Amino acid sequence: MTSGQRAPTPETQRGPVTGSDAPERLKFDMDELLNCMHCGFCLPACPTYQQTGLETYSPRGRIGLMKGVAQGKLPIDEEFERNMYACLGCRACETACPAGVQYGRLIETAREVVEDVKRRRGRRSFTRHLVFKQFFNHPRRIRVAGGILWAVQAAGLQRVATKTGLVRVLPREMAEMQSAVDTVASPSERKRRPSVMAPDAGVQKAGRVGLFTGCIMDVMFYDTNQATARLLNKIGFEVVFVAGQVCCGALHAHSGEKVDAVELAKRNIEAFEAADVDFIVNNAGGCGAALKEYAHWLADDPVWAERAHRFVERTRDICELLAEHTPLPFQRRIEARVTYQDSCHLAHGQGVRQQPRQLIRSVPGVQYVELTNADTCCGSAGIYNITNWEMSMRVLDTKMEHVRRTDAHIVVTANPGCLLQMKKGIQRAGLADRMEAVHIVDFLERALGSAAPLG
Amino acid sequence: MGGPAVRVEVVEQLREIVDSDAVRVSPNELYAYSFDATPLVQAEPDVVVFPSTTAQVSRVLALCNAERIPVIPRGSGTNLAGGTIPVAGGVVLNMTRFNQIYEIDEKNLTATVGPGVITADFHRAVEAVGLFYPPDPGSMRVSTIGGNVAQCAGGMRGLKYGVTKDYVMGLEYVLPDGQVLRCGGKNYKDVAGYDLTRLLVGSEGTLAVLTELTLKLLPMPETKMTLTVFCNSLVDAARVVEEVIAARITPATMEFLDQGTMHVVDDFAHLGLPRDVAAMLLIEQDGSPVQVQRDIERIAEIARAVGAADVQLAETPEDGARLMAARRSALAALSRLRPTTILEDATVPRARLAEMVQAVVDIAAKYRVQICTFGHAGDGNLHPTCLTDERDTDEIHRVEQAFEEIFRTAMELGGTITGEHGVGMSKMKYLPQRVGPGGIQLMQAIKGAFDPNGIMNPGKVVAGYQPQRVVVRQS
């Protein structure tokens, strides 16, 4: 704007604007948008609104903008894109919403619309394309990257990362997050994994579980996946590492790559059908929420709707299944003060809140302390801490203030992204000498005594 | 609609007055401040400004006054009468950065706060030292104290404790010309001149900008108990209310929910409410344990005598709190049923409650619209809530007709057009019926004395022209 010009007025903004007639806007579910009566009950629940105090950073504001786009009053432009991607996608607003607005689905549609328009205009985001197409769609590449991560870490050769181009796939922020990772499983270790693990001898058989290993989870927290299988074996489940399973598609769906997400869903449905299991179990709240969305993603597909529905019926978070088999056969006490950070997509996405707390409390010796605002996002939010690093760290620092006040020795989480973020948070807050972040499965296994204690 | 647009030089001057990140003009940002919690009304501002100090507010107002730019003070934007819609464009003055509690004076039982403090945060702060601030509007977890004062918000404790105006003792405010003034203070008795404090409470941002508030506090009641009464007819429920009051009992809260409201509230909050009763009352009494116990027992007796289907006592304070929280979700929960939810707050003297409840049922049938009713039965303040679809112009027309008849009926019963939401845009056309032409003229003269150039929240309350609703249409 130059001097003498007039600032935008409602009149001029409502004139013809590029993109406002974009056919993509019709993808919005107008009934669902109208379901939001903009009461604002979501504002206190939204971490980004709490940080900024701006309606454009609130669920109500974002839905307002979506309505504006859907009605052709606002263009699908870079500002809209930025506002849609500034959302953590934690879905805490869904829990707060008395009108039952399915915000998670709306924000996915909004991002899909943004990406569709960009694709049509040939204006693709290079980083996003690289990460999603080249990385998450190809399990082998994740394994390679994991292998490289492992090599880098084992050898301390940061230059390898540069040479292989890994730094471009995993930018600086991701590299910073890496410093929070303990170890990455070696490629040979992962290859040696048996495809079926039988239930422990002498335990009554409980059923057959297909373990959803998750792509990031399996590389960065391979041991946690193995521990999940061992835990299930202990309570009588046979565990199958289902061949042919792929990424759950959560990150794709959250990033507007819905077509790819749906393709991944189909491959997973096929793989788990072939494995003939009673339950499909995952240990990552973010993946689990996506797996449970398959029926919604494929609802309009005559061939796949029913198969997706059956898949969802069998899908459980590990905490849900374990909580049905309490008390677990604990062997050791854990004399520690312990708190729990909810995984947003486990709590707000799947409504699983009590089971993890109940499991932690059931461990002998544990002094459980509830974390204030435990179900507020830690700022990890899938790849948010890569794409929106600064906001992610603001959200994390607020979270760590509450964590610090618990005086806990152990912060338990139920999702790999949260786990990485909490590890990072403990470092940032200078609490590394007195506090550790642990996945709930690893935590429980310490008390079950089936593996060498961690940490 | 588009009012006087704000010149770029003025935007630059605003940037010099407030922090650099506190002036917002991008299209998305303006759009995000084009609505509040009111259905069917929308208009964009030209600028959104977030001042942090009284001095900044003073300079912003002086500038806007000189430039004849409308100023719309705003808190969290939860009001239900279109009070913060920038119908003539201009500057939305967002007061949320004034979020400090400056003082809780335990000797005088007062608190002094910035207008941007969230109501529920304020409750927590005073309750932590054993004190009590009764006003509790439904949106209290979101709304600001400043917004509550500007609208004279009510809530569920109005029956026994009154509403926001009964707790505002003093104000710091800024006139459109930039003058910073104070009225009232910590004195319980103060008759020095006209009561400008009372005048500013509920003035809906049309007179001045509130920058600091001194509020009255009470000692925290020792205990409270919650009772639910389920009734087979709406009239039974209204009779329970009337007879409890006639028995010289004043409960802290007597909330009314009809069957439709009960269903959606239960769907959200999973309380396990019965599905087949016509209405329920949520009754809370606070005070000393002996008195609370006695009152609750007597209320239960009265309810049974009237013929209530069931009477249940909440077993723990947590259960009671859960019921009250669920009641607060009623409006938004109702919006699950249809795309558009229009809530009103017609209020009658409480002895006429049964008649009013029945009238709402009859009017809904007459105009073939779906109306659920809940509200603050104890103080006669009902919330007939119409579930409709803004895309259906024929239905919206019938909704307008139904509400007109509801307001007329309320006034015939000695009631009013708005109990606690304010006039804003939504009730402007009914205001002359309520206060008469003389009343309107006097109010307009008062408005002129505060705001001779008419920059403060134009198009609201006594603006004197028919509100033009910018209906959001699906194109």
Side-chain angles (χ1 to χ4, degrees), chain A residues 368-439:
Chain A
Y368 180 77
V369 51
E370 184 65 27
L371 170 65
T372 305
N373 295 345
D375 68 349
T376 300
C377 184
C378 64
S380 163
I383 57 162
Y384 191 89
N385 54 12
I386 302 173
T387 57
N388 298 55
W389 173 257
E390 197 194 333
M391 178 65 78
S392 163
M393 289 302 121
R394 282 169 70 180
V395 171
L396 177 59
D397 291 343
T398 303
K399 168 66 60 185
M400 293 316 294
E401 278 310 302
H402 293 300
V403 171
R404 181 194 299 278
R405 273 182 234 131
T406 63
D407 247 337
H409 306 108
I410 302 173
V411 184
V412 175
T413 70
N415 182 58
C418 312
L419 181 56
L420 277 174
Q421 185 86 342
M422 293 314 293
K423 283 170 183 274
K424 177 83 192 158
I426 289 169
Q427 286 177 359
R428 272 173 80 90
L431 297 169
D433 58 333
R434 70 197 95 142
M435 194 182 274
E436 60 173 335
V438 181
H439 191 285

Side-chain angles (χ1 to χ4, degrees), chain B residues 201-470:
Chain B
V201 177
S203 62
E204 305 191 28
T206 61
L207 303 180
V209 177
L210 309 177
T211 47
E212 187 191 288
L213 312 103
T214 298
L215 305 166
K216 178 168 117 179
L217 302 174
L218 300 178
M220 189 70 191
E222 277 179 72
T223 186
K224 62 182 167 191
M225 286 170 84
T226 310
L227 191 73
T228 44
V229 175
F230 300 102
C231 298
N232 290 322
S233 76
L234 300 177
V235 174
D236 276 0
R239 275 185 56 213
V240 172
V241 174
E242 289 175 11
E243 300 217 0
V244 165
I245 290 164
R248 309 287 187 271
I249 304 170
T250 306
T253 295
M254 287 184 106
E255 292 295 307
F256 168 89
L257 289 83
D258 72 2
Q259 190 179 52
T261 314
M262 286 172 66
H263 286 184
V264 291
V265 164
D266 199 38
D267 288 345
F268 171 59
H270 312 293
L271 300 166
L273 298 176
R275 291 266 156 176
D276 51 348
V277 298
M280 74 179 274
L281 291 168
L282 192 55
I283 299 171
E284 195 164 88
Q285 179 61 308
D286 59 12
S288 71
V290 175
Q291 177 233 328
V292 169
Q293 183 75 35
R294 192 194 58 207
D295 284 354
I296 288 288
E297 279 169 16
R298 287 176 60 204
I299 294 167
E301 275 170 35
I302 290 170
R304 287 193 194 97
V306 167
D310 196 12
V311 179
Q312 289 176 7
L313 185 66
E315 283 177 15
T316 63
E318 291 73 30
D319 287 349
R322 205 157 26 245
L323 283 163
M324 300 304 270
R327 155 61 188 87
R328 282 179 219 287
S329 72
L331 164 62
L334 277 169
S335 75
R336 285 170 186 239
L337 298 181
R338 293 286 306 278
T340 308
T341 310
I342 305 176
L343 166 88
E344 291 300 352
D345 64 331
T347 301
V348 292
R350 50 204 181 191
R352 312 298 295 271
L353 188 69
E355 289 165 81
M356 189 65 215
V357 167
Q358 189 56 51
V360 171
V361 173
D362 296 342
I363 291 167
K366 177 176 169 186
Y367 292 99
R368 293 175 289 120
V369 292
Q370 186 183 5
I371 299 182
C372 287
T373 300
F374 61 96
H376 318 295
D379 47 32
N381 179 195
L382 288 176
H383 291 310
T385 301
C386 191
L387 310 169
T388 179
D389 188 334
E390 63 200 54
R391 293 166 292 190
D392 183 338
T393 45
D394 175 59
E395 187 175 321
I396 288 288
H397 180 63
R398 281 183 281 120
V399 170
E400 299 259 350
Q401 286 177 310
F403 274 125
E404 242 176 271
E405 191 160 335
I406 286 172
F407 294 134
R408 198 165 56 239
T409 309
M411 284 190 277
E412 280 164 14
L413 293 171
T416 184
I417 54 174
T418 172
E420 58 180 3
H421 296 164
V423 174
M425 300 164 69
S426 313
K427 305 288 171 54
M428 261 196 329
K429 70 174 173 180
Y430 306 110
L431 188 63
Q433 296 171 52
R434 174 71 186 128
V435 300
I440 289 278
Q441 278 165 22
L442 184 56
M443 286 183 191
Q444 282 176 335
I446 292 169
K447 160 89 175 161
F450 276 81
D451 178 24
N453 295 324
I455 65 160
M456 292 305 304
N457 203 4
K460 313 290 165 62
V461 191
V462 291
Y465 68 84
Q466 289 291 315
Q468 276 189 299
R469 282 189 165 177
V470 183

Side-chain angles (χ1 to χ4, degrees), chain A residues 13 31 34 38 60 79 83, chain B residues 26 28 36 44 76-77 339 391:
Chain A
Q13 278 160 40
D31 284 336
L34 285 174
H38 28 105
R60 164 172 81 171
E79 190 190 10
N83 284 323
Chain B
S26 77
N28 277 198
D36 54 26
E44 286 183 29
S76 291
R391 293 166 292 190

